Amino acid sequence: MSPTGFEYRDGVLHAEQVALPLLAAAVGTPAYVYCANTVRARYRRLDQAFAGIPHHIHFAVKANSNLSVLSLLRELGAGVDIVSGGELYRALQAGFHGRDVVFSGVGKTVQEIAQALEAEVQLINVESEAELVVIDVVAARLGVMAPIAIRVNPEVTVDTPHAYIKTGEKGQKFGIPRDDVARLVELTGELSHVQLRGMGMHLGSQIGNADPLRDALPRLLAAIAYAQGKGHPIAFMDVGGGLSVPYESHERDADIDDYATIVRAAALETGLTLLLEPGRFLVAEAGILLTEVLYRKHAAGKDFVVTDAGMNDLIRPALYQAYHAIDPVTLTDGSVAADIVGPICESGDFFAKDRRLPDVQAGALLAVRTAGAYGFSMASNYNSRPRPAEVLVDGDQFAVVGAREQLDDLVRLERMPLQWRTA
Ligand code: LLP
């Protein structure tokens, strides 16, 4: 079995043992298809790299928030990293407990903080002084002690494929600038309803090498030592997510052993429980977006392949100029260089530009690869398009784990008698 779970058998692409044409006939297109065994293998690989030291993998729910995917990860022993009350709700619905949850995010509302405290989350990662004060007030109102971690911005240079996915650099909105950490530690000591239990960071996403981590870890360790020196009961060291996956054939998978060696050494030095927040690494390659070619079009000397999926279904190419490999589900002769585009009325609505691919005709199925992370979770209803179905494959079985939205879903929250109010 290929490491992604998708492979050709007799010229037809299968998800594990399920032929994708059969799945498309049953569920329709566009559809996201996830391979359960790939998620399991990725989780185990990361977990084993940290065997022997106390650690916990908190899946970043934003990468793929489907309840069945979350449940699958829970069964493997994962916790979750959440960034909203909505993600907390999903996590609890998927059977996680508060103790499995780390709450990150730069703009938590009073309601979300209260929701997290009521759920008894493991840690709330604090991202500003103002937020720390609000957490203390909310915890006092609820009569609880809020377990918090300070998210340090280590201010290191981070090389990511797109500027939008860097977070641990100077001048970003994320985390507490490292020079301000001491002041926040002091303030924590003065507040009566917060307890400083951890220090964390998150450098960015799709980080291809360990250099930023090598630069950042000593800064995180310094912050931990400082807080411990002030008597805070630090138990957790959170190194965030960001492990890269290959999107293009020449790219290589993240070097987990290298990553683990560096992180393990730092964790051992502190003796703390290590928290990891991977999103993409666990689910990206396990998923594809399955779409049907609607039309071939030739215009102004160019070839276009028009698909029934659009940027509302998978926005990464439009938003980050991200590359996704695209393969025909049934191997086809001939080749064409074409723009692969969706039906949406925006020129940014493309999956690939000038891509060489087999000469697929209308009715052919395409697999947009590496779409298990930040695919469906970033989908929208733009152009009033119902969001696609989500399907989980496990061996020779498949199940719809997210029903395709229906037309009524597009309007049901708007169909009410108007109740005009005056100020
Ligand atoms: N922890 C925190 C606090 C984060 O902000 C993120 C991602 C993660 C963990 C997980 O990072 P990962 O392991 O997945 O790289 N939509 C973009 C990615 C944005 C990532 C935002 N934060 C994309 O499609 O590439």
Side-chain angles (χ1 to χ4, degrees):
M1 180 60 68
S2 99
T4 64
F6 296 94
E7 73 184 8
Y8 287 97
R9 296 185 187 184
D10 298 328
V12 174
L13 193 61
H14 284 58
E16 302 198 8
Q17 279 129 60
V18 177
L20 288 173
L22 185 147
L23 188 151
V27 172
T29 55
Y32 277 93
V33 182
Y34 311 124
C35 291
N37 284 304
T38 307
V39 177
R40 293 189 183 109
R42 304 286 293 181
Y43 180 87
R44 291 194 183 116
R45 188 159 146 220
L46 189 61
D47 195 38
Q48 273 157 19
F50 290 95
I53 64 164
H55 69 280
H56 205 198
I57 297 175
H58 289 260
F59 172 62
V61 172
K62 62 170 82 69
N64 188 322
S65 358
N66 183 279
L67 286 185
S68 296
V69 172
L70 294 179
S71 297
L72 176 70
L73 283 156
R74 179 179 49 72
E75 283 160 18
L76 293 166
V80 286
D81 165 57
I82 59 155
V83 289
S84 70
E87 288 190 353
L88 176 56
Y89 181 74
R90 280 183 178 277
L92 298 176
Q93 290 284 309
F96 288 96
H97 298 284
R99 61 175 179 274
D100 305 319
V101 177
V102 170
F103 189 9
S104 306
V106 79
K108 306 175 194 79
T109 64
V110 165
Q111 290 81 353
E112 287 174 323
I113 293 166
Q115 192 187 344
L117 291 173
E118 275 157 6
E120 298 182 22
V121 300
Q122 174 86 273
L123 280 179
I124 302 181
N125 285 337
V126 173
E127 299 231 15
S128 67
E129 188 175 323
E131 184 190 42
L132 176 61
V133 172
V134 171
I135 294 171
D136 185 62
V137 169
V138 177
R141 172 162 62 75
L142 296 176
V144 297
M145 189 62 101
I148 61 155
I150 293 177
R151 174 164 170 191
V152 180
N153 182 349
E155 301 180 333
V156 295
T157 305
V158 184
D159 189 20
T160 60
H162 197 276
Y164 288 1
I165 55 179
K166 291 181 192 199
T167 52
E169 286 195 338
K170 197 168 180 150
Q172 299 278 0
K173 69 175 177 177
F174 301 98
I176 307 290
R178 63 194 182 106
D179 290 343
D180 298 344
V181 170
R183 195 160 49 83
L184 216 71
V185 170
E186 307 294 339
L187 179 58
T188 306
E190 290 161 19
L191 299 174
S192 55
H193 286 81
V194 292
Q195 187 178 46
L196 185 56
R197 303 300 323 276
M199 282 283 171
M201 62 180 188
H202 170 72
L203 301 180
S205 199
Q206 190 65 353
I207 302 177
N209 69 60
D211 292 343
L213 198 65
R214 240 182 231 109
D215 296 341
L217 277 169
R219 298 179 176 186
L220 184 64
L221 294 192
I224 290 170
Y226 181 81
Q228 286 175 327
K230 296 284 173 189
H232 293 278
I234 306 289
F236 302 105
M237 164 180 153
D238 183 346
V239 294
L243 284 164
S244 66
V245 303
Y247 283 87
E248 298 192 45
S249 55
H250 65 82
E251 291 174 338
R252 286 194 308 132
D253 213 351
D255 187 340
I256 286 300
D257 295 329
D258 193 27
Y259 175 82
T261 306
I262 298 167
V263 175
R264 283 176 73 106
L268 279 172
E269 200 177 318
T270 63
L272 303 177
T273 297
L274 173 68
L275 307 181
L276 304 149
E277 299 174 358
R280 192 186 317 262
F281 180 82
L282 296 177
V283 293
E285 293 171 280
I288 59 156
L289 174 60
L290 186 61
T291 177
E292 185 179 309
V293 176
L294 294 178
Y295 302 108
R296 283 286 296 271
K297 172 169 176 171
H298 191 81
K302 279 182 73 164
D303 277 297
F304 293 89
V305 172
V306 184
T307 61
D308 68 355
M311 67 189 275
N312 71 298
D313 302 303
L314 176 67
I315 201 174
R316 301 192 73 259
L319 190 57
Y320 314 117
Q321 289 79 51
Y323 181 98
H324 285 264
I326 300 175
D327 293 310
V329 164
T330 304
L331 287 178
T332 310
D333 289 337
S335 94
V336 60
D339 286 7
I340 303 170
V341 300
I344 288 183
C345 303
E346 296 240 6
S347 35
D349 180 30
F350 61 86
F351 294 122
K353 293 250 171 162
D354 236 341
R355 182 76 60 86
R356 187 145 288 282
L357 83 163
D359 200 10
V360 287
Q361 300 300 323
L365 294 168
L366 295 177
V368 183
R369 303 273 199 150
T370 330
Y374 307 108
F376 187 90
S377 65
M378 295 180 82
S380 77
N381 292 124
Y382 187 41
N383 275 207
S384 285
R385 288 167 51 84
R387 288 179 303 165
E390 295 179 281
V391 179
L392 187 64
V393 174
D394 194 351
D396 60 0
Q397 322 180 69
F398 66 94
V400 174
V401 291
R404 182 180 307 287
E405 277 179 336
Q406 300 301 308
L407 293 177
D408 192 59
D409 294 323
L410 297 174
V411 295
R412 83 195 138 79
L413 297 176
E414 300 160 27
R415 199 190 294 111
M416 72 260 291
L418 287 193
Q419 288 187 343
W420 296 106
R421 303 176 207 194
T422 48

